[in-house]
Amino acid sequence: MAELRKDLRRGLDYVLGVVLFLLALILTSTSALFRSHYPYLAYFLASIAACYWLGLGPANLVAVLSAIAIYVTFSAPSGLFVSATQTPISAAVIILFLMLAINWMIGSLKSSRDRLAAERERYERLAESRDLLYRELQ
């Protein structure tokens, strides 16, 4: 039963990742500010939010969907990550690699934090058992 619940949760995480991507796509296509000055910012934010709240898998799905959307809706913006002379495929690949690298960094930081929390919990249990043994010896 717990395994089924875990599988459902994992599926829900991917669905929520797609929802985050769709929100970024809507924001990018409806907002003149995003379309003209920050065409990829919403995609980056969706990918980072998915990585932080949902995990590395859904975040990478958001990154891939975002790269596809960038390829399809490419309008040759000139900016920090992409120059005006690049093709849609090169822009999509550059943004995809940047998103995957950011997702990997956030994912590794989250796993380190989780391992640290597990170690702290383990040490707390060991300290409690040590205190209990000491009281019994007294």
Side-chain angles (χ1 to χ4, degrees):
M1 187 63 155
E3 191 172 316
L4 177 65
R5 184 174 289 162
K6 190 174 185 181
D7 290 341
L8 287 175
R9 169 66 187 188
R10 188 172 192 86
L12 180 64
D13 287 346
Y14 281 94
V15 169
L16 290 174
V18 171
V19 168
L20 282 172
F21 161 73
L22 290 174
L23 289 173
L25 181 65
I26 291 168
L27 184 64
T28 301
S29 40
T30 59
S31 171
L33 179 68
F34 276 99
R35 205 177 20 226
S36 62
H37 297 301
Y38 308 107
Y40 310 127
L41 181 63
Y43 297 123
F44 274 103
L45 294 176
S47 180
I48 290 168
C51 190
Y52 185 76
W53 286 312
L54 306 174
L56 193 57
N60 289 340
L61 175 65
V62 171
V64 169
L65 291 174
S66 298
I68 292 169
I70 289 167
Y71 176 74
V72 171
T73 62
F74 186 77
S75 61
S78 180
L80 180 62
F81 298 124
V82 180
S83 70
T85 60
Q86 287 180 318
T87 62
I89 191 71
S90 64
V93 168
I94 289 169
I95 298 300
L96 176 65
F97 283 141
L98 284 171
M99 284 188 205
L100 292 176
I102 291 169
N103 290 344
W104 176 79
M105 285 188 292
I106 292 172
S108 65
L109 288 172
K110 276 184 64 179
S111 66
S112 296
R113 183 193 64 192
D114 293 342
R115 282 194 310 268
L116 180 62
E119 283 295 316
R120 284 184 179 165
E121 183 179 318
R122 180 175 161 258
Y123 288 140
E124 285 176 13
R125 285 193 315 257
L126 286 172
E128 287 174 8
S129 66
R130 180 200 63 208
D131 292 343
L132 178 67
L133 286 172
Y134 183 74
R135 279 182 272 150
E136 285 180 3
L137 279 174
Q138 290 298 322

